[in-house]
Every structure is written in structure tokens, then in C-alpha cells.
């Protein structure tokens, strides 16, 4: 019923107690919905080792995690050979046709480590097949069994590999599926995604494509999120929602993931027109790629979730007709209380426009009913931008302050115990919102402020629908629900129960849709980008404000004595939330200290020029930690001396020369025809190394074409002295053959060979780290490189 905000006869004025009762009931209902959302995002209880044979058991899978991640096993190492033998023996033991694909493979995606050149690896993929009874296609279960140099890879990706072994075991206990199931345990994922590229590009079983389920981890805990799909995913998403027992996934994640500099084996399959789904758990990112990624740090609940979903999906894709899985469109999808809701992506823009129109119509109605004026509506809209901007800014400043107090956070993906900081950001967002509301409620009015929130949600919905369609549902649906609730509230008696019911239902929609991204964005982006989660938290807060407003003793904007009391009351939640933010940040700083179990990460490399005897310590830390600072005293560009390390600037300092040999370059043949010279070279490592590089000084010769181990590689002249180069991971001891077709200059052709290994602690001058100093999770930590230039 449309009474002007300040009319004394307003019946709601006379019933503050009833208003408070309904407010408490509504908030309890919302809290219950929020709890339901969190339960829907939680991991299942791990099943014991004696679970029925047809089920996935995290306890059984974990035994294989312990074997696979017993020690670091980088591609090409003896430790990786032992892991591969265990995988082959296990799969053969299940009666599966199992082989090792031994090949030289190129990289996938855009990871190139070589300026103007190519990256390859010698890979040995483990491939096993469970033949179907009447196949319509193939289902590929994929994970990588290699680890980074710096850690044993308990989560990344022993967990995924052990999950596939346990799924294979469960599948062989039941009736054979209709479609072929192929288990692909890839090599050299960490180096260059080369194993997956080698399988997808060259293996006979990959020739006709199929459905790929890739299993990964970028952390140690949390729900398994299906975060990436092939294009035109509607049919795949439909199967995912139906067959995965814990379908946590959102079309928004696909868009977030594309903006991050990560890649997985899945990329190699997408390059080859496979369809499929990519899943990973991502919380606990502090130990990612570090020596701490040991089996004991694998959350068995996450492992169980990986397995439940992988087994459910493999069974379903195992019986589905795989002939027509590519739909004509992408779906929008998101988790709802343990299930998955999806609708066609082409509805995104019409829905966003409908939400905008509905919110506009609500504004018009509010004005007609005297709940707001054109002026207050405009003020509500304009002033809503304040918390939308200030809360993310505050989150960013808060983290800047915390990293100033604790600089070691700079090199961490996420703190070891991030929960206090995450809660601090949420409390800060609430403080900003409550403060803003307390200041404006009387002047602008609750109806106009609610309109402002809905209007921005609707505007964001349209912007997202155009730019990031998979994320448009986040704001479109709460805006639409809020507008419909507004219509319902205006159409019913103002002092009756229906307005409260309507705004509570709309707020519940917002909680269901916007709480999961608040929860998942923190681990996905890390505290450094906590501002993004703060923004989503504020949008959620704006959508929920009409319910919080019920706590206010008076429905409209008041004046006089009552208003004074109301304003004091209004300041209470803002003060409480601000205090909570400070306390939570303080608790975070007190609880999350660096110690031996949670060391501050440091990055150190050693590079030696075996020709000149000059050696250098290098670090990628921008502001080196005290331990690292003892090695470096300036900044260098490594592009000229160590082109295999990329062309970035690094902090550096002088080091003693270690008696280490550079790789040899043997000339196998050298033929000249016309102005061309064809050089067949063999680059031979002189020690146990994990990669070799060969670069050509393009001022001494122009590279026309090149092949590596018999594989043609693309030639795209790069910048700088070493304009063409090849990076080869996991080289065999006998070395790698490189054939260069050149147009030489007048003198000798200058080439530079480099290798890289572990063993940093054996270098003269290395000082062991104190217990509370650890190793950064990166592909170049602890690298020991030796280079030399050869005139040919
Ligand atoms: Zn990894």
C-alpha cells in the first residue's frame, strides 16, 4: 500500500515489535539458506578401504598417492621412471590393455619458454584401455603423473592419477561399459603439457577424438570444481549435472580461468577438437608446487569428491551415445544447494535486458506510489556506486597493509591459513555497506536505496552478458528476483506478511547465487585479489539489504526523536562489522605466522657460463626475503647470457664457479648448397639434467627452418641476440639432434647451449635455508643452469 514515507498514519509505524519479529524470522531463514549453500559446497566424507568394490574409496586411492608422490619425480628423472612402472603394473594388474607411448612431443597452449623458437619434450605416457561392448566413441580419463622439480606433487597430480587408478579398478569390477574407456596418465605436464599434446596429436587411440575428463589440483583441499569445458557445452553440462554426485561448477569459472595464466593438459585436447570437462580442487594453494605438497597434505574429502564425480561421469559417458555431444550453444550453469542449475547461454542477454526493464518498472512504480521521488531514485542509483567502489578498494588496502607487515606473503598464492583474512574482507565489505546505509537511509529512503542496489545489479547483468556471458547470471537473477519481490510487496498490504515474504525470497535467491562465488573466488584468485570477492560480497549485501532493513524499528525514513534513536541503532552494525574486520585481520596475522611447517617461500637459481667461468645467483623475487637477499645485490637481464631462462629482468649477485660442464654440441654433418647451410647438430648433456636449450645468434645466421629429434618446429624470429631457440625437456642421456637450415653471414655461426638441473644445494657458496624458510612453488625454483657458446 503506497503511503508516503513520513505519513504519521503509516500503520507499520504502530507495530515495531511485529516488524522486529518478522525481521528476525527472515534473517534466520536467510542464514539457513546460507548454511545450505555452504553444505552444498562441502566435500563428502572419505570412504574407507573396505567400501564396496563398485564404489570409489578415497582410502584405497590414497595408497597410490603415497607411492606416486613418495619423492619429487620430474619428467625424465629416475624417480619418474619408478612411478611409471608402478602405474603400468597397477593397470595391467586390473587386466587392462596397457602400453607406454614413448615419443618426442611439442608443447601445447601458449607456454613457450623459448623466445622465437619451440619447446618439446621426450614423453612417456601410460595409456590403458577398457574396450566397450558396442562403442559409439571413447571416453578419456586424463591426469599427469609427473611432478614439478621442487616437490613430490601429492595433490598435483598424484591425487588425480590415483583417482584414475581407483576409478579404473571400480569399473573393472562391474559390467563392461558400452563405450571404450581410455586411461591416459601423461608425462611432462609441468614442463610443457607435452605428454598430453603427444597423446592428443599422435596416438592412434586419439585419432577420432572423444570426451575428455581431466583431473587436476591447484592446492590441497576444498570442493572439486568443474571449471573448464569445451565450447558448445550444453549437452556435456547436462550430463555433468545429472551424473556427477557433487556437481560444483559454474560457467563464471570458465571466464575467470581464461583470464588466469594457467594451463593444464586439457588445453592440449581442446587444441585437437576433443570435447570434455576439466575439474580441480583449488583451496590450500599455499603448498602448490612446493616441497610441502606431500601425500599427507591431500584432503581425503577432496579426493573422494574427485573420485565420486569421475566415476559417476565415466559410467554415464560410458553408456551415452557419444555421437552428438557437441550442442549448438554453451550453457550458463551454477551450483544450487548441492545440485546444478543450467539454462541456454542464448538466454543470457534477453534475461539481462528483462531484469533491467523490470527494475526500471519498479522504480516507476515506487515513484507513483509515493515511496520515492525521481530525485531519491536518482540519488539511490548514484550513491550505490560508493560501496561498490569503496569495499573492493578497502579490501585491496587491507591486503596491502597486511603484506607490508608480513612481506613473505608476496610470493604465496594464498596464505597458509587464509580463512581469517577472508572473513576480514567480508566483514570490511559489510562495514562499508552498513556505514553507507546508516548515513543515507533517512535522507534517501530505504525504497530508493533498495532500488539503487537492484539497478546496479541489473546494469552489471547487461555488461556481463555482453563481455562475460557465463557470469551474467550472478547479477541478472538477483536483480530480477528483487524486482519481482518489489512488485509483490507493492501489490499487497504493507502491514501484512507478504512484503516480508517477498523480499526474503528475493534475498534467498541472491544468497544462493552470490554466496558460492564469494566463497570460491578467495581460493581461486588468492588474497592479493580479495577485492574481487569483496565486490561480489557487496553485491550480495545490496540484494539482501531490504531484509536487513526490517531490523530497523521504522519502515520509512523518520525525523525527530525517533530518527535520532534509529540513527544510533543504524550505526551499530557498521561499527560492529568494522571492529570485526580489524579483529579478524589481527587474528590472521597472529595465527598465520611463518614457521618450519609453514615456511616463507624463497626463489633461488644458479647460472654458470662454462666458457667464461662467470657464475650468478638469480631470483625472481621482486623484493627478496632476507635469506635470498644474501645472494643478490642488483638487477640483470638474463636474455643475453642465459636465453633459456626467458627474457625477464631478475635480481642477481655474483657466485663462485662450480666445476660443472656445459652441454656439448657435436656437429654430425655440415652441408652447403648455394647460400644455404644445413647443420645437423647433437646437443649432449654432460650431467643428469631436466632440460636442454639451444639458441642461435641470429646476427651470425638467419634460421630458415629447423627440426628437433626429427620433428619440424616452427621458426618465428624473436627479439634480441639469440633470435631463435629450442627448449627440450627430459632429454635422453645420448642427447638431442637438432637440424638447422641457415643462411649464414660471413663468419662462424654462433650457438649457445644450456642445460638445467636440480642440485642447487651442492653448489659452492650455497647456505642451507633456516627451518622457517622454504621454496617457492614455481617451475624455476632451485634450478641450476650451465651454458656455453660454440662457434660453428
Ligand atoms: Zn602442476
Amino acid at each position: 500500500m503506497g503511503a508516503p514515507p513520513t505519513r504519521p498514519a503509516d500503520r507499520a509505524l504502530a507495530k515495531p515489535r511485529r516488524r522486529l519479529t518478522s525481521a528476525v524470522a527472515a534473517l534466520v531463514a536467510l542464514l539457513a539458506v546460507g548454511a545450505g549453500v555452504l553444505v552444498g559446497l562441502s566435500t563428502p566424507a572419505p570412504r574407507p578401504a573396505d567400501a564396496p568394490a563398485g564404489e570409489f574409496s578415497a582410502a584405497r586411492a590414497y595408497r597410490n598417492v603415497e607411492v606416486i608422490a613418495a619423492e619429487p619425480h620430474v619428467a625424465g628423472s629416475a624417480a619418474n621412471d619408478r612411478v611409471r612402472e608402478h602405474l603400468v603394473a597397477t593397470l595391467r594388474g586390473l587386466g587392462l590393455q596397457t602400453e607406454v607411448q614413448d615419443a618426442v612431443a611439442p608443447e601445447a597452449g601458449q607456454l613457450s619458454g623459448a623466445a622465437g623458437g619451440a619447446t618439446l619434450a621426450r614423453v612417456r605416457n601410460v595409456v590403458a584401455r577398457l574396450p566397450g561392448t558396442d562403442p559409439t566413441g571413447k571416453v578419456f580419463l586424463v591426469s599427469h603423473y609427473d611432478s614439478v622439480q621442487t616437490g613430490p606433487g601429492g595433490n598435483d597430480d598424484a591425487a588425480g592419477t590415483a583417482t584414475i587408478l581407483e576409478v579404473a579398478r571400480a569399473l573393472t569390477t562391474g559390467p563392461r561399459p558400452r563405450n571404450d574407456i581410455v586411461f591416459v596418465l601423461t608425462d611432462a605436464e609441468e614442463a610443457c603439457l607435452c605428454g598430453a599434446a603427444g597423446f592428443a596429436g599422435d596416438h592412434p587411440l586419439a585419432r577420432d577424438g572423444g570426451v575428455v575428463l581431466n583431473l587436476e589440483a591447484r592446492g590441497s583441499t576444498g570442493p572439486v570444481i568443474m571449471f573448464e569445458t569445451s565450447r558448445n557445452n550444453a549437452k556435456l553440462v547436462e550430463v555433468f549435472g545429472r551424473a556427477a554426485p557433487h556437481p560444483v561448477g559454474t560457467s563464471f569459472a570458465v571466464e575467470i580461468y581464461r583470464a588466469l595464466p594457467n594451463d593444464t593438459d586439457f588445453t592440449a585436447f581442446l587444441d585437437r577438437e576433443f570435447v570434455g570437462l576439466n575439474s580441480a580442487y583449488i583451496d590450500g594453494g599455499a603448498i602448490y608446487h612446493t616441497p610441502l605438497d606431500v601425500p599427507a597434505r591431500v584432503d581425503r574429502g577432496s579426493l573422494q569428491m574427485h573420485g565420486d564425480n569421475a566415476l559417476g561421469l565415466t559410467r554415464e559417458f560410458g553408456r551415452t551415445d557419444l555421437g552428438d555431444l557437441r550442442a549448438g550453444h554453451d550453457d550458463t550453469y551454477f551450483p544450487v544447494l548441492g545440485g546444478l542449475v543450467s539454462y541456454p547461454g542464448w538466454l543470457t542477454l534477453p534475461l539481462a535486458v528483462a531484469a533491467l526493464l523490470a527494475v526500471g518498472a519498479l522504480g516507476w512504480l515506487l515513484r507513483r506510489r509515493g515511496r520515492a521521488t525521481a530525485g531519491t531514485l536518482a540519488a539511490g542509483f548514484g550513491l550505490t556506486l560508493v560501496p561498490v567502489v569503496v569495499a573492493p578498494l578497502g579490501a585491496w588496502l587491507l591486503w596491502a597493509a597486511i603484506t607490508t607487515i608480513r612481506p613473505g606473503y608476496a610470493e604465496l598464492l594464498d596464505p597458509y591459513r587464509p580463512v581469517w583474512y577472508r572473513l576480514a574482507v567480508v566483514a570490511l565489505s559489510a562495514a562499508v555497506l552498513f556505514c553507507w546505509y546508516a548515513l543515507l537511509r533517512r535522507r534517501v529512503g530505504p525504497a530508493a536505496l533498495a532500488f539503487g542496489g537492484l539497478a546496479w545489479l541489473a546494469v552489471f547483468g547487461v555488461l556481463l552478458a555482453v563481455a562475460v556471458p557465463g557470469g551474467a547470471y550472478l547479477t541478472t537473477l538477483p536483480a530480477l528476483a528483487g524486482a519481482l519481490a518489489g512488485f509483490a510487496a507493492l501489490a499487497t498490504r504493507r502491514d501484512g506478511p507478504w512484503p516480508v515474504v517477498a523480499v526474503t525470497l528475493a534475498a534467498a535467491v541472491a544468497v544462493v547465487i552470490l554466496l558460492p562465488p564469494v566463497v570460491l573466488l578467495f581460493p581461486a584468485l588468492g588474497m592479493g585479489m580479495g577485492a574481487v570477492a569483496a565486490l561480489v560480497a557487496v553485491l550480495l549485501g545490496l540484494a539482501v539489504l531490504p531484509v536487513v532493513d526490517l531490523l530497523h524499528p521504522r519502515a520509512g525514513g523518520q525525523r525527530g526523536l525517533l530518527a535520532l534513536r534509529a540513527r544510533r541503532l543504524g550505526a551499530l552494525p557498521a561499527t560492529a562489522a568494522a571492529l570485526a574486520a580489524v579483529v579478524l585481520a589481527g587474528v590472521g596475522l597472529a595465527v598465520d605466522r611463518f614457521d618450519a611447517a609453514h615456511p616463507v617461500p624463497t626463489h633461488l637459481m644458479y647460472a654458470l657460463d662454462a666458457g667464461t667461468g662467470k657464475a650468478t645467483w638469480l631470483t625472481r623475487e621482486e623484493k627478496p626475503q632476507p635469506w635470498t637477499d644474501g645472494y643478490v645485490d642488483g638487477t640483470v637481464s638474463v636474455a643475453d647470457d642465459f636465453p633459456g631462462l626467458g627474457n625477464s629482468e631478475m635480481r642477481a649477485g655474483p657466485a663462485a664457479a662450480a666445476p660443472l660442464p656445459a652441454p656439448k654440441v657435436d656437429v654430425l654433418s655440415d652441408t652447403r648448397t648455394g647460400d644455404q647451410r644445413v647443420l645437423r647438430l647433437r646437443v649432449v648433456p654432460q650431467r643428469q639434467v631436466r632440460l636442454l636449450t639451444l639458441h642461435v645468434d641470429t646476427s651470425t645466421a638467419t634460421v630458415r627452418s629447423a627440426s628437433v629429434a626429427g620433428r619440424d618446429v616452427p621458426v618465428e624470429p624473436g627479439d634480441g641476440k639469440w633470435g631463435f631457440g629450442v627448449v627440450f625437456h627430459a632429454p635422453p642421456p645420448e642427447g638431442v639432434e637438432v637440424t638447422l637450415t641457415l643462411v649464414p653471414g660471413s663468419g662462424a655461426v654462433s650457438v649457445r647451449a644450456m642445460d638445467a638441473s636440480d642440485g642447487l644445494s651442492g653448489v659452492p657458496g650455497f647456505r642451507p635455508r633456516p627451518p622457517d624458510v622454504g621454496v617457492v612453488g614455481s617451475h624455476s625454483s632451485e634450478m641450476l643452469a650451465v651454458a656455453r657458446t660454440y662457434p660453428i
Side-chain angles (χ1 to χ4, degrees):
M1 301 279 112
T6 56
R7 208 162 79 183
D10 191 326
R11 274 166 293 184
L13 263 179
K15 298 185 176 91
R17 178 167 292 167
R18 190 206 275 183
R19 189 175 156 81
L20 188 66
T21 313
S22 41
V24 170
L27 283 173
V28 167
L30 282 190
L31 286 176
V33 171
V37 167
L38 297 182
V39 169
L41 295 177
S42 62
T43 54
R47 264 185 229 115
D50 59 357
E55 288 181 7
F56 183 93
S57 153
R60 286 191 290 247
Y62 183 71
R63 290 179 193 153
N64 276 316
V65 173
E66 287 183 305
V67 177
I68 297 165
E71 59 186 321
H73 49 286
V74 72
S77 65
N80 209 35
D81 293 344
R82 289 192 287 276
V83 170
R84 182 172 56 255
E85 280 153 21
H86 172 73
L87 302 176
V88 169
T90 305
L91 290 164
R92 287 209 174 121
L94 295 172
L96 296 170
Q97 305 165 8
T98 306
E99 52 150 331
V100 174
Q101 180 196 11
D102 190 340
V104 169
E107 69 174 342
Q110 306 293 321
L111 289 170
S112 187
T119 299
L120 304 97
R122 187 223 179 163
V123 300
R124 279 160 291 177
N125 297 320
V126 177
V127 182
R129 191 165 79 100
L130 176 63
T133 52
D134 181 20
T136 63
K138 294 188 186 71
V139 183
F140 298 90
L141 267 168
V142 182
S143 71
H144 68 91
Y145 73 86
D146 64 311
S147 77
V148 285
Q149 173 85 60
T150 43
N155 289 282
D156 176 20
D157 194 11
T161 303
T163 296
I164 290 181
L165 294 180
E166 171 67 2
V167 166
R169 188 207 54 72
L171 288 174
T172 50
T173 62
R176 285 228 328 260
R178 173 190 182 187
N179 297 319
D180 290 344
I181 314 289
V182 184
F183 306 96
V184 187
L185 308 177
T186 67
D187 194 8
E189 190 267 358
E190 298 293 0
C192 49
L193 317 177
C194 288
F199 178 82
D202 297 339
H203 198 282
L205 283 174
R207 204 165 290 147
D208 301 323
V211 189
V212 174
L213 302 172
N214 188 53
L215 310 188
E216 265 285 3
R218 200 224 52 189
S220 58
T221 184
V224 174
I225 304 165
M226 195 280 282
F227 66 95
E228 189 183 14
T229 69
S230 49
R231 291 195 187 273
N232 296 323
N233 62 22
K235 287 181 181 165
L236 295 165
V237 168
E238 187 267 319
V239 173
F240 176 70
R242 177 156 47 85
H246 321 285
V248 175
T250 148
S251 44
F252 183 48
V254 179
E255 317 263 9
I256 292 272
Y257 182 71
R258 282 184 195 144
L260 295 175
N262 296 353
D263 259 311
T264 70
D265 277 345
F266 197 62
T267 305
F269 288 91
L270 292 187
D271 287 351
R272 298 278 171 174
E273 300 291 307
F274 284 74
V275 299
L277 307 172
N278 198 1
S279 301
Y281 54 91
I282 59 169
D283 209 349
I287 67 165
Y288 176 57
H289 283 175
T290 74
L292 299 175
D293 188 9
V294 293
R297 298 295 289 268
V298 174
D299 182 333
R300 315 302 149 82
S302 300
L303 191 60
Q304 185 68 42
M305 191 161 171
H306 238 343
D308 284 348
N309 283 358
L311 182 58
L313 287 170
T314 307
R315 286 208 169 111
E316 188 59 28
F317 283 118
R319 63 175 151 251
T320 308
D321 186 341
L322 300 179
D324 59 352
L325 276 178
R326 213 181 277 273
H329 62 269
D330 277 331
D331 260 4
T332 281
Y333 56 95
F334 48 92
V336 172
L337 303 173
L340 190 82
V341 166
S342 64
Y343 56 81
W346 50 260
L347 267 175
T348 303
L349 193 57
L351 270 176
V353 172
L356 194 64
L357 292 175
V359 173
L362 179 66
W364 179 80
L365 258 180
L366 287 170
R367 204 180 135 206
R368 238 181 92 102
R369 298 289 180 83
R371 297 280 191 96
T373 66
T376 57
L377 288 177
F381 181 68
L383 291 168
T384 299
L385 211 48
V386 173
V388 168
V389 172
V390 170
L393 197 66
W396 181 73
L397 287 172
L398 177 69
W399 191 244
I402 289 171
T403 47
T404 305
I405 296 169
R406 194 144 301 160
Y409 283 154
E411 299 294 326
L412 272 174
L413 194 63
D414 217 16
Y416 288 103
R417 285 147 295 205
V419 65
W420 301 103
Y421 296 130
R422 292 176 188 171
L423 290 174
V425 166
V426 171
L428 181 71
S429 306
V432 169
L433 199 65
F434 289 147
C435 180
W436 165 84
Y437 199 65
L439 289 172
L440 293 178
R441 186 180 186 272
R442 189 177 65 85
R443 259 170 257 176
V444 181
L449 288 177
F451 165 81
L454 293 179
W456 277 108
L457 287 170
V459 168
F460 281 135
V462 174
L463 295 176
L464 287 166
V466 174
V468 190
Y473 77 93
L474 288 170
T475 56
T476 292
L477 298 184
L480 203 54
L484 295 177
F487 295 144
L490 290 173
T492 53
R493 281 168 56 99
R494 196 174 180 184
D495 59 344
W498 295 113
V500 175
V501 171
V503 295
T504 307
L505 281 175
V509 169
V511 170
V512 164
I513 286 173
L514 286 167
L515 187 54
V518 173
V519 173
L520 300 176
L521 277 168
F522 280 116
L525 301 178
M527 286 306 301
M529 284 171 81
V532 182
L535 172 64
V536 181
V538 162
L539 295 177
L540 171 58
L542 287 169
V544 174
L545 266 185
V547 175
V548 179
D549 188 75
L550 295 170
L551 281 175
H552 209 278
R554 295 291 176 262
Q558 280 76 34
R559 295 180 197 285
L561 263 183
L562 272 174
L564 197 67
R565 211 186 106 207
R567 237 186 300 171
R568 283 203 189 132
L569 274 174
L572 201 68
T575 314
L579 205 64
V582 173
V583 169
L584 288 163
V587 171
L589 279 166
V591 168
D592 192 53
R593 289 175 188 279
F594 292 118
D595 54 34
H598 312 87
V600 61
T602 57
H603 180 281
L604 191 67
M605 292 156 71
Y606 173 89
L608 168 71
D609 186 318
T612 63
K614 189 177 163 235
T616 314
W617 296 109
L618 295 166
T619 181
R620 289 195 192 279
E621 289 176 52
E622 276 174 28
K623 288 181 197 149
Q625 290 296 307
W627 181 80
T628 325
D629 208 34
Y631 292 95
V632 295
D633 56 12
T635 304
V636 297
S637 168
V638 293
D640 282 356
D641 291 335
F642 299 96
L645 300 180
N647 54 5
S648 59
E649 296 247 304
M650 276 188 257
R651 309 274 303 169
L660 293 170
K664 258 175 41 187
V665 177
D666 296 334
V667 181
L668 302 180
S669 71
D670 183 356
T671 51
R672 294 170 195 255
T673 39
D675 68 336
Q676 280 203 156
R677 188 175 170 195
V678 178
L679 273 178
R680 259 182 67 223
L681 308 174
R682 180 177 284 280
V683 191
V684 189
Q686 301 300 301
R687 56 200 191 98
Q688 176 69 41
V689 298
R690 67 185 235 225
L691 71 84
L692 281 178
T693 73
L694 184 76
H695 284 76
V696 179
D697 181 343
T698 42
S699 70
T700 63
T702 306
V703 181
R704 280 273 171 79
S705 64
S707 73
V708 179
R711 260 195 118 100
D712 287 341
V713 297
V715 177
E716 290 158 28
D719 310 327
K721 178 177 160 88
W722 307 101
F724 174 79
V726 169
V727 176
F728 197 100
H729 293 272
E734 68 272 20
V736 178
E737 201 176 305
V738 179
T739 303
L740 300 168
T741 305
L742 308 160
V743 180
S746 51
V749 176
S750 181
V751 300
R752 192 159 174 87
M754 191 195 90
D755 62 24
S757 68
D758 61 354
L760 196 68
S761 58
V763 167
F766 180 86
R767 296 178 293 277
R769 291 175 166 88
D772 59 346
V773 175
V775 175
V776 154
S778 94
H779 291 111
S780 56
S781 303
E782 308 302 283
M783 195 189 253
L784 195 170
V786 185
R788 183 177 198 129
T789 300
Y790 296 90
I792 293 168

